[in-house]
Amino acid sequence: MDIIDRLRDIVGERATAAPAERLCYSSDASQVRGTPDYVVRPLSTAEVSAVVGLAAAEGVPITARGAGTGLAGGAVPLRGGIVLDLSGMNRILEMDLANLAVVVEPGVIQARLNERLRPFGFFFPPDPGSANFCTIGGLIANNGSGMRCVKYGTTRNYVLDLEVVLADGSVVRTGSRTLKSAAGYDLTRLFIGSEGTLGVVTGAVLRVMPLPKARRLVIASFSSAEEAGRAVARTFAAGIVPSACEILDRTTVAVLRRCEPSLKLPDGDVLLFEVDGSEGAVAEAAAEIAALCSSSSGAAAAASVAVVAGAEEMEEIWAARRLVGAAVSRLDPTKSRIYVGEDVGVPIKMIPALIREVAEISVRFGIPAMKYGHIGDGNLHVALFIDVLDEGEKARLAGAADAIHRAAIRLGGTVSSEHGIGAARSEYMAEQVGFVALSVMRAIKRALDPKGIMNPGKLGLDDGPAGVGGSGCGARADGTPGGKS
Amino acid sequence: MTRDQQEAKIDQRALELCVRCGTCRSVCPAFEVLGWESKNTRGRIMVAKALREGFPPDAGVLDSLNTCTTCGICAAKCPAGANPPSIVQEARRVLVGRGVMTAAQAGFRAKVAESANTFGELGDRLGWLSDREGLPDRADSVYFVGCLDSYRYPEVAARTFEILRRFGVSLLRDEKCCGSPLIRTGSPAETVMEENLRQIREMKAKTVITGCAGCYSTLKRDYPPEFEVVSVPEFLALHLSELDLKRLDMTVTYHDPCHLGRHAGIYDPPREVIRAICRLVEMKRSREEARCCGGGGGVRAGYPDLSLEIAKHRLQDVPDGVDAIVSCCPLCVRNLSDAGAGVEVIDLIDLVARALETA
């Protein structure tokens, strides 16, 4: 019996090998391409288990996918095989708030979870720009985080227990509902950030937090992004921990104004500091940050500082900020944002140096760069934008992205803070984590996935030279169906 | 030259605006029902792009492109400023130009060709008009009735014209389909459009008034800008003080038709008219955020089950305790009714007529 027929035996009409569907599952938001042979939309752990069991028996690669909003090709089936679209497994199974926990399926959208939690006074803190459409499963697979990481940490800090279908189709639970556990290896954290290379997450017990009573937003503008970076370092050195700390360089501010003309943002390179907590504490912290930004001398001082307390105005600014990544075409419709070199991170005090290097790289390669992101945790999103119909710009883009990645590593940082390695950044794994660490990762991979069917070609885990995707805009950007890698 | 006569071509720049971020996944009404990536906006743009590069247009491609209702919520949400409904429409045109189309697309072509209306009706288009005497041959304003109100909701056409006539509005003697069903599904519509244009010119009309959101959108965007296009709710709101409407003891909600709301920005006039008559409670998602009824873009004809499922999703936004759902588009009224609204679904003009009867 053909594999498609056997898949249909498991999930019925929710399995297909139709060319149009295979085409539409051949990419995420990155430049990585790989066309699946089959697409399956399971609705239960039992179905996932049966599909993975079939893949194992037949030696067919299997790639898990949430909303396909990834920026590194993590959900792209580089070697064909089966794509498991888990976005239909989207139920919130239990609200166990007495235990500060919720039980969810992997396809739950982050924002839908927070909508359900809000009336109870709780929230799930990881808050990526794609919160309105990314899935919890994707956040777990990539250890996603977002704007409030600086105080609340990453997804890793909020997963208590996972249900995972292993590479042979068996099902394992990795943790418990307790807030702490000292029972052996921490399997939960092993699977978080593993990008579907060890198993398929089919359920999660998440820890949730009480919503803060109050929030304030401090908006400060500076004469340069570098000066803004220094102000962040000064704030942290003063012992203040904001709940979010974002940079919007002047290009980003221009894009945001184009998207939302009513937004009240100052000129210059802008920092957004959010503080949360009790009413008194946030007022005090906001005043301290404002004073710190204003008090420096000369160019280091903020050109303007404003404190926003209105919930609606704050939400408008955050909503616009969430979408800015893709919005650069608003300034020039002939330019498109290409997601490469977009997620580097460095230790906080190296931020000014990173900003300086990115500016230099942008000039050297002649590729404009919009800089924004979670500067408070050292994560700078560099938005390189080009005319995609200009082959010369495309080639220079790849060089610029590579230079940005190498600069981050040289500064003691990472090529990915929250978007993942996928295929786009796998060639940097050995350089970033070291050959010994990469060998340990490969050993874990071999132990859990001896046949190498789980999302092959990702994370630099394949034996041999750890290079499959380069800067993420190389030969794989063909976009044609059937073009398996 | 009408826009419809320009060469069909999928513009590469328009396609490249999409960076596949996935924002549209969370809002596409067809995707919400169907769940496949090819049935959401991002997938459709990938399909359109692949077509440019020679991808074979099989049934999966046709289903991908033709399950779009052209509601435009993706365009409203797209951070990059892409216009997916326009891309989808253009991709349909390209395929139709090559003779590749669904049975429903072919059906629209055949029906409009043989009867100049979208239903293939051969009866009198003005059958709803009891008094044809005294219709002026020339008028500053004409009422464009549309196929749906002419043949399926003749009482709405009659009620609308009864009011408009008081203000000197006339009718086209031999109105044809506006062309919307053809244009939205990728077929040329110049035959009917030119015939309508000829009559509008002969009547020396400066304003065309219509009660159908689809006709409004088409007359406004696809016809040459020789005349002003006014929707019935705009007209009513403008003349509220002259209508002598009485208050009705009822509570209604309002469904924004996509082609009147998001596509044309007409949100306030219908609400103004409703509030002059009775209580209005907004739907859970309204105005720019309003969900599609599922009827547009040829989806009702081509994918009736999908169309009704989308309508059922929309009905979940109806607030409790309302006496009626009011809209300003016969297609929305039809689709929401067929999906089992549980309360009556009426045209704004029906509500106005009741307020006039009470008087």
Side-chain angles (χ1 to χ4, degrees):
Chain A
M1 194 191 283
D2 222 7
I3 287 178
I4 186 64
D5 295 324
R6 293 167 68 186
L7 290 169
R8 287 201 177 119
D9 280 349
I10 300 167
V11 299
E13 291 305 306
R14 286 178 279 109
T16 184
E21 216 58 66
R22 293 168 54 215
L23 167 79
C24 292
Y25 283 87
S26 67
S27 79
D28 52 11
S30 73
Q31 301 304 301
V32 179
R33 297 288 185 279
T35 306
D37 298 297
Y38 316 98
V39 182
V40 180
R41 293 170 44 224
L43 291 179
S44 68
T45 302
E47 288 183 352
V48 174
S49 167
V51 172
V52 175
L54 171 63
E58 297 295 331
V60 175
I62 190 152
T63 302
R65 174 182 170 110
T69 56
L71 300 168
V76 176
L78 280 187
R79 305 207 175 134
I82 299 166
V83 162
L84 270 180
D85 174 352
L86 295 150
S87 61
M89 290 178 69
N90 58 6
R91 292 175 302 168
I92 297 169
L93 298 171
E94 197 184 335
M95 302 276 280
D96 184 11
L97 297 178
N99 278 319
L100 293 172
V102 292
V103 184
V104 299
E105 292 185 324
V108 169
I109 303 292
Q110 193 273 9
R112 300 291 90 75
L113 175 59
N114 274 332
E115 276 167 23
R116 278 285 297 279
L117 286 165
R118 196 174 302 121
F120 300 96
F122 288 88
F123 77 123
F124 173 68
D127 179 26
S130 55
N132 279 324
F133 39 98
C134 74
T135 63
I136 297 292
L139 281 172
I140 292 169
N142 293 286
N143 189 30
S145 49
M147 293 185 253
R148 298 198 165 96
C149 166
V150 56
K151 177 173 176 181
Y152 290 98
T154 66
T155 298
R156 183 164 281 146
N157 303 103
Y158 297 93
V159 182
L160 297 172
D161 179 27
L162 290 173
E163 179 185 78
V164 181
V165 173
L166 297 174
D168 62 355
S170 59
V171 181
V172 65
R173 290 216 75 105
T174 63
S176 74
R177 215 169 278 205
T178 56
L179 289 185
K180 56 186 182 180
S181 171
Y185 294 156
D186 191 340
L187 296 183
T188 305
R189 276 161 179 72
L190 175 63
F191 283 99
I192 297 167
S194 66
E195 301 191 20
T197 59
L198 302 177
V200 179
V201 173
T202 51
V205 181
L206 304 176
R207 184 185 183 190
V208 295
M209 298 290 279
L211 277 167
K213 299 272 186 295
R215 283 191 172 129
R216 287 276 195 291
L217 188 63
V218 181
I219 305 176
S221 79
F222 294 85
S223 59
S224 72
E226 226 179 305
E227 290 301 343
R230 290 198 184 97
V232 172
R234 283 199 302 275
T235 304
F236 280 86
I240 301 167
V241 181
S243 52
C245 177
E246 296 283 303
I247 186 168
L248 313 168
D249 76 350
R250 57 195 63 225
T251 311
T252 312
V253 170
V255 172
L256 283 170
R257 283 179 176 154
R258 192 62 66 93
C259 293
E260 290 294 336
S262 62
L263 277 187
K264 290 178 198 144
L265 286 175
D267 293 331
D269 297 283
V270 171
L271 287 179
L272 304 175
F273 291 94
E274 186 194 72
V275 286
D276 71 2
S278 67
E279 191 61 53
V282 298
E284 191 181 327
E288 265 186 81
I289 293 171
L292 267 167
C293 288
S294 312
S295 63
S296 300
S297 55
S304 74
V305 182
V307 178
V308 178
E312 206 171 302
E313 191 181 340
M314 275 191 274
E315 188 41 46
E316 270 175 23
I317 290 170
W318 287 127
R321 155 64 191 89
R322 280 190 189 96
L323 294 174
V324 78
V328 75
S329 304
R330 301 273 183 167
L331 279 186
D332 179 353
T334 66
K335 301 284 186 187
S336 295
R337 164 86 187 271
I338 305 294
Y339 290 96
V340 287
E342 86 293 347
D343 190 35
V344 289
V346 291
I348 294 168
K349 74 172 184 185
M350 302 309 284
I351 277 275
L354 177 66
I355 291 172
R356 198 165 51 238
E357 291 225 20
V358 168
E360 184 274 318
I361 291 164
S362 169
V363 171
R364 177 151 51 101
F365 286 89
I367 302 290
M370 173 170 96
K371 297 177 287 297
Y372 65 99
H374 321 308
I375 194 168
D377 57 38
N379 183 191
L380 190 69
H381 291 322
V382 181
L384 299 171
F385 48 103
I386 61 165
D387 178 349
V388 290
L389 306 186
D390 183 328
E391 290 302 324
E393 285 196 10
K394 264 185 173 169
R396 296 204 305 278
L397 173 77
D402 181 60
I404 290 167
H405 284 141
R406 294 193 191 284
I409 294 174
R410 203 171 52 248
L411 294 169
T414 174
V415 293
S416 176
S417 302
E418 57 181 5
H419 296 168
I421 295 296
R425 287 181 269 267
S426 56
E427 75 165 286
Y428 303 104
M429 277 296 279
E431 192 177 341
Q432 174 160 346
V433 304
F435 283 107
V436 179
L438 187 56
S439 299
V440 172
M441 290 187 198
R442 286 173 171 174
I444 293 169
K445 166 76 171 169
R446 277 194 300 274
L448 286 179
D449 178 22
K451 292 183 177 173
I453 60 166
M454 306 305 290
N455 203 6
K458 308 293 168 64
L459 284 179
L461 292 173
D462 300 79
D463 287 330
V468 284
S471 59
C473 47
R476 282 174 214 293
D478 63 290
T480 51
K484 281 183 222 163
S485 304
Chain B
M1 185 191 277
T2 62
R3 212 174 67 166
D4 187 52
Q5 289 166 307
Q6 293 162 7
E7 185 199 352
K9 202 172 98 190
I10 305 170
D11 177 43
Q12 195 175 356
R13 284 245 178 260
L15 290 169
E16 296 296 349
L17 281 177
C18 172
V19 295
R20 298 184 308 283
C21 68
T23 304
C24 47
R25 266 179 68 96
S26 61
V27 293
C28 176
F31 177 66
E32 194 179 337
V33 173
L34 297 169
W36 293 103
E37 192 72 36
S38 74
K39 307 300 190 307
N40 72 43
T41 312
R42 175 174 63 178
R44 293 185 184 105
I45 291 180
M46 289 178 77
V47 164
K49 204 167 178 175
L51 282 174
R52 266 185 67 96
E53 293 158 7
F55 194 80
D58 63 5
V61 165
L62 284 175
D63 287 344
S64 169
L65 294 173
N66 287 294
T67 47
C68 169
T69 65
T70 68
C71 76
I73 195 164
C74 50
K77 297 287 178 189
C78 177
N83 186 352
S86 157
I87 291 170
V88 163
Q89 202 172 297
E90 217 47 29
R92 291 174 180 174
R93 277 185 80 198
V94 166
L95 290 183
V96 166
R98 290 192 226 157
V100 181
M101 67 191 94
T102 63
Q105 286 173 292
F108 279 132
R109 290 160 68 92
K111 284 171 185 167
V112 176
E114 77 186 30
S115 65
N117 66 70
T118 186
F119 305 112
E121 291 275 356
L122 298 172
D124 182 5
R125 195 173 172 104
L126 290 178
W128 53 270
L129 183 62
S130 53
D131 175 15
R132 300 187 190 204
E133 296 302 313
L135 277 180
D137 292 332
R138 286 189 178 182
D140 280 348
S141 301
V142 291
Y143 168 40
F144 194 94
V145 189
C147 299
L148 263 157
D149 281 343
S150 295
Y151 291 107
R152 296 290 179 266
Y153 293 105
E155 67 287 353
V156 169
R159 284 172 192 144
T160 305
F161 191 56
E162 195 183 323
I163 294 169
L164 295 181
R165 206 171 193 174
R166 296 189 208 165
F167 296 90
V169 178
S170 190
L171 284 166
L172 300 183
R173 294 300 161 86
D174 190 20
E175 179 189 294
K176 312 291 184 194
C177 170
C178 69
S180 172
L182 294 177
I183 294 169
R184 303 298 151 240
T185 57
S187 284
E190 60 258 38
T191 309
V192 283
M193 289 170 76
E194 278 167 11
E195 181 54 26
N196 286 325
L197 258 179
R198 183 189 62 75
Q199 293 181 58
I200 292 166
R201 286 171 184 154
E202 275 178 16
M203 293 201 76
K204 309 266 186 222
K206 297 187 186 72
T207 304
V208 177
I209 303 163
T210 181
C212 169
C215 296
Y216 177 91
S217 200
T218 305
L219 290 162
K220 186 97 175 172
R221 294 189 301 161
D222 297 295
Y223 280 64
E226 296 176 14
F227 46 85
E228 195 186 351
V229 185
V230 173
S231 67
V232 166
E234 287 175 298
F235 185 91
L236 293 171
L238 194 65
H239 295 278
L240 259 185
S241 60
E242 299 155 75
L243 289 174
D244 193 23
L245 299 169
K246 295 292 179 286
R247 296 283 306 173
L248 299 175
D249 181 23
M250 63 189 293
T251 303
V252 304
T253 193
Y254 176 69
H255 166 76
D256 288 283
C258 302
H259 281 270
L260 210 56
R262 265 187 301 275
H263 285 271
I266 300 171
Y267 297 111
D268 292 325
R271 289 173 167 80
E272 203 182 323
V273 176
I274 292 171
R275 287 199 184 98
I277 297 171
C278 65
R279 293 176 294 277
L280 171 67
V281 185
E282 291 289 354
M283 294 183 86
K284 188 174 150 199
R285 288 168 286 192
S286 65
R287 300 177 70 96
E288 292 87 348
E289 303 291 326
R291 309 287 291 161
C292 178
C293 77
V299 171
R300 183 178 158 87
Y303 303 88
D305 294 342
L306 168 65
S307 181
L308 285 183
E309 276 307 311
I310 295 174
K312 284 177 188 165
H313 279 78
R314 176 54 170 158
L315 288 170
Q316 290 169 7
D317 287 348
V318 175
D320 290 337
V322 296
D323 301 303
I325 301 166
V326 177
S327 196
C328 290
C329 172
L331 189 57
C332 296
V333 169
R334 185 85 173 187
N335 225 41
L336 293 173
S337 305
D338 287 355
V343 291
E344 60 173 348
V345 188
I346 58 173
D347 195 286
L348 178 67
I349 207 75
D350 295 323
L351 188 72
V352 169
R354 288 180 203 180
L356 287 170
E357 279 164 21
T358 307

mmCIF file of all heavy atoms in Angstrom, chain B residues 144-159:
data_model
loop_
_atom_site.group_PDB
_atom_site.id
_atom_site.type_symbol
_atom_site.label_atom_id
_atom_site.label_comp_id
_atom_site.label_asym_id
_atom_site.label_seq_id
_atom_site.Cartn_x
_atom_site.Cartn_y
_atom_site.Cartn_z
ATOM 1 N N PHE B 144 -29.113 51.906 -8.945
ATOM 2 C CA PHE B 144 -28.628 50.667 -9.559
ATOM 3 C C PHE B 144 -29.067 49.523 -8.650
ATOM 4 O O PHE B 144 -28.591 49.396 -7.524
ATOM 5 C CB PHE B 144 -27.102 50.706 -9.710
ATOM 6 C CG PHE B 144 -26.577 49.634 -10.613
ATOM 7 C CD1 PHE B 144 -26.363 49.865 -11.969
ATOM 8 C CD2 PHE B 144 -26.347 48.358 -10.128
ATOM 9 C CE1 PHE B 144 -25.917 48.858 -12.814
ATOM 10 C CE2 PHE B 144 -25.897 47.345 -10.964
ATOM 11 C CZ PHE B 144 -25.681 47.591 -12.313
ATOM 12 N N VAL B 145 -29.971 48.701 -9.128
ATOM 13 C CA VAL B 145 -30.660 47.731 -8.265
ATOM 14 C C VAL B 145 -29.783 46.517 -7.951
ATOM 15 O O VAL B 145 -29.710 46.067 -6.807
ATOM 16 C CB VAL B 145 -31.972 47.256 -8.932
ATOM 17 C CG1 VAL B 145 -32.795 46.418 -7.961
ATOM 18 C CG2 VAL B 145 -32.790 48.450 -9.419
ATOM 19 N N GLY B 146 -29.108 45.987 -8.979
ATOM 20 C CA GLY B 146 -28.307 44.780 -8.789
ATOM 21 C C GLY B 146 -29.125 43.526 -9.046
ATOM 22 O O GLY B 146 -30.354 43.524 -8.947
ATOM 23 N N CYS B 147 -28.424 42.422 -9.357
ATOM 24 C CA CYS B 147 -29.115 41.175 -9.700
ATOM 25 C C CYS B 147 -29.876 40.592 -8.516
ATOM 26 O O CYS B 147 -31.003 40.112 -8.649
ATOM 27 C CB CYS B 147 -28.106 40.133 -10.197
ATOM 28 S SG CYS B 147 -27.217 40.610 -11.682
ATOM 29 N N LEU B 148 -29.234 40.606 -7.342
ATOM 30 C CA LEU B 148 -29.851 39.942 -6.185
ATOM 31 C C LEU B 148 -31.166 40.602 -5.786
ATOM 32 O O LEU B 148 -32.180 39.927 -5.584
ATOM 33 C CB LEU B 148 -28.877 39.940 -5.013
ATOM 34 C CG LEU B 148 -28.077 38.645 -4.853
ATOM 35 C CD1 LEU B 148 -26.803 38.894 -4.084
ATOM 36 C CD2 LEU B 148 -28.911 37.584 -4.135
ATOM 37 N N ASP B 149 -31.154 41.921 -5.644
ATOM 38 C CA ASP B 149 -32.400 42.586 -5.255
ATOM 39 C C ASP B 149 -33.430 42.526 -6.381
ATOM 40 O O ASP B 149 -34.633 42.428 -6.125
ATOM 41 C CB ASP B 149 -32.129 44.031 -4.818
ATOM 42 C CG ASP B 149 -31.581 44.096 -3.388
ATOM 43 O OD1 ASP B 149 -31.726 43.086 -2.657
ATOM 44 O OD2 ASP B 149 -31.002 45.122 -3.018
ATOM 45 N N SER B 150 -32.972 42.560 -7.645
ATOM 46 C CA SER B 150 -33.922 42.495 -8.761
ATOM 47 C C SER B 150 -34.682 41.171 -8.774
ATOM 48 O O SER B 150 -35.890 41.133 -8.990
ATOM 49 C CB SER B 150 -33.185 42.645 -10.098
ATOM 50 O OG SER B 150 -32.613 43.920 -10.197
ATOM 51 N N TYR B 151 -33.953 40.075 -8.542
ATOM 52 C CA TYR B 151 -34.564 38.755 -8.739
ATOM 53 C C TYR B 151 -34.843 37.971 -7.459
ATOM 54 O O TYR B 151 -35.691 37.105 -7.440
ATOM 55 C CB TYR B 151 -33.679 37.906 -9.648
ATOM 56 C CG TYR B 151 -33.666 38.410 -11.069
ATOM 57 C CD1 TYR B 151 -32.545 39.048 -11.576
ATOM 58 C CD2 TYR B 151 -34.783 38.260 -11.894
ATOM 59 C CE1 TYR B 151 -32.533 39.523 -12.879
ATOM 60 C CE2 TYR B 151 -34.772 38.720 -13.189
ATOM 61 C CZ TYR B 151 -33.649 39.362 -13.688
ATOM 62 O OH TYR B 151 -33.650 39.814 -14.973
ATOM 63 N N ARG B 152 -34.084 38.252 -6.401
ATOM 64 C CA ARG B 152 -34.261 37.450 -5.187
ATOM 65 C C ARG B 152 -34.914 38.230 -4.051
ATOM 66 O O ARG B 152 -35.570 37.671 -3.197
ATOM 67 C CB ARG B 152 -32.909 36.899 -4.706
ATOM 68 C CG ARG B 152 -32.255 35.913 -5.683
ATOM 69 C CD ARG B 152 -33.028 34.606 -5.730
ATOM 70 N NE ARG B 152 -32.432 33.656 -6.673
ATOM 71 C CZ ARG B 152 -32.798 33.513 -7.942
ATOM 72 N NH1 ARG B 152 -33.783 34.274 -8.446
ATOM 73 N NH2 ARG B 152 -32.229 32.625 -8.728
ATOM 74 N N TYR B 153 -34.678 39.534 -4.033
ATOM 75 C CA TYR B 153 -35.297 40.366 -2.994
ATOM 76 C C TYR B 153 -36.042 41.524 -3.651
ATOM 77 O O TYR B 153 -35.718 42.699 -3.413
ATOM 78 C CB TYR B 153 -34.236 40.888 -2.019
ATOM 79 C CG TYR B 153 -33.588 39.809 -1.187
ATOM 80 C CD1 TYR B 153 -32.296 39.374 -1.458
ATOM 81 C CD2 TYR B 153 -34.274 39.234 -0.116
ATOM 82 C CE1 TYR B 153 -31.710 38.373 -0.699
ATOM 83 C CE2 TYR B 153 -33.692 38.232 0.650
ATOM 84 C CZ TYR B 153 -32.414 37.808 0.350
ATOM 85 O OH TYR B 153 -31.830 36.825 1.103
ATOM 86 N N PRO B 154 -37.042 41.224 -4.496
ATOM 87 C CA PRO B 154 -37.731 42.308 -5.212
ATOM 88 C C PRO B 154 -38.398 43.300 -4.254
ATOM 89 O O PRO B 154 -38.516 44.487 -4.562
ATOM 90 C CB PRO B 154 -38.768 41.564 -6.060
ATOM 91 C CG PRO B 154 -38.887 40.194 -5.467
ATOM 92 C CD PRO B 154 -37.565 39.896 -4.864
ATOM 93 N N GLU B 155 -38.822 42.804 -3.068
ATOM 94 C CA GLU B 155 -39.471 43.718 -2.118
ATOM 95 C C GLU B 155 -38.467 44.746 -1.591
ATOM 96 O O GLU B 155 -38.835 45.893 -1.309
ATOM 97 C CB GLU B 155 -40.140 42.935 -0.972
ATOM 98 C CG GLU B 155 -39.243 42.196 -0.011
ATOM 99 C CD GLU B 155 -38.592 40.927 -0.582
ATOM 100 O OE1 GLU B 155 -38.940 40.514 -1.716
ATOM 101 O OE2 GLU B 155 -37.713 40.367 0.100
ATOM 102 N N VAL B 156 -37.189 44.336 -1.453
ATOM 103 C CA VAL B 156 -36.160 45.289 -1.020
ATOM 104 C C VAL B 156 -35.948 46.341 -2.106
ATOM 105 O O VAL B 156 -35.849 47.539 -1.824
ATOM 106 C CB VAL B 156 -34.824 44.557 -0.701
ATOM 107 C CG1 VAL B 156 -33.677 45.551 -0.515
ATOM 108 C CG2 VAL B 156 -34.980 43.698 0.543
ATOM 109 N N ALA B 157 -35.908 45.873 -3.370
ATOM 110 C CA ALA B 157 -35.765 46.817 -4.483
ATOM 111 C C ALA B 157 -36.933 47.812 -4.484
ATOM 112 O O ALA B 157 -36.729 49.025 -4.606
ATOM 113 C CB ALA B 157 -35.720 46.050 -5.809
ATOM 114 N N ALA B 158 -38.141 47.285 -4.298
ATOM 115 C CA ALA B 158 -39.326 48.151 -4.328
ATOM 116 C C ALA B 158 -39.299 49.161 -3.181
ATOM 117 O O ALA B 158 -39.576 50.351 -3.370
ATOM 118 C CB ALA B 158 -40.596 47.297 -4.261
ATOM 119 N N ARG B 159 -38.952 48.683 -1.986
ATOM 120 C CA ARG B 159 -38.898 49.587 -0.825
ATOM 121 C C ARG B 159 -37.827 50.660 -1.010
ATOM 122 O O ARG B 159 -38.019 51.816 -0.642
ATOM 123 C CB ARG B 159 -38.611 48.794 0.452
ATOM 124 C CG ARG B 159 -39.806 48.036 0.959
ATOM 125 C CD ARG B 159 -39.450 47.117 2.112
ATOM 126 N NE ARG B 159 -40.569 46.231 2.362
ATOM 127 C CZ ARG B 159 -40.449 44.951 2.735
ATOM 128 N NH1 ARG B 159 -39.258 44.423 2.928
ATOM 129 N NH2 ARG B 159 -41.520 44.218 2.926
#
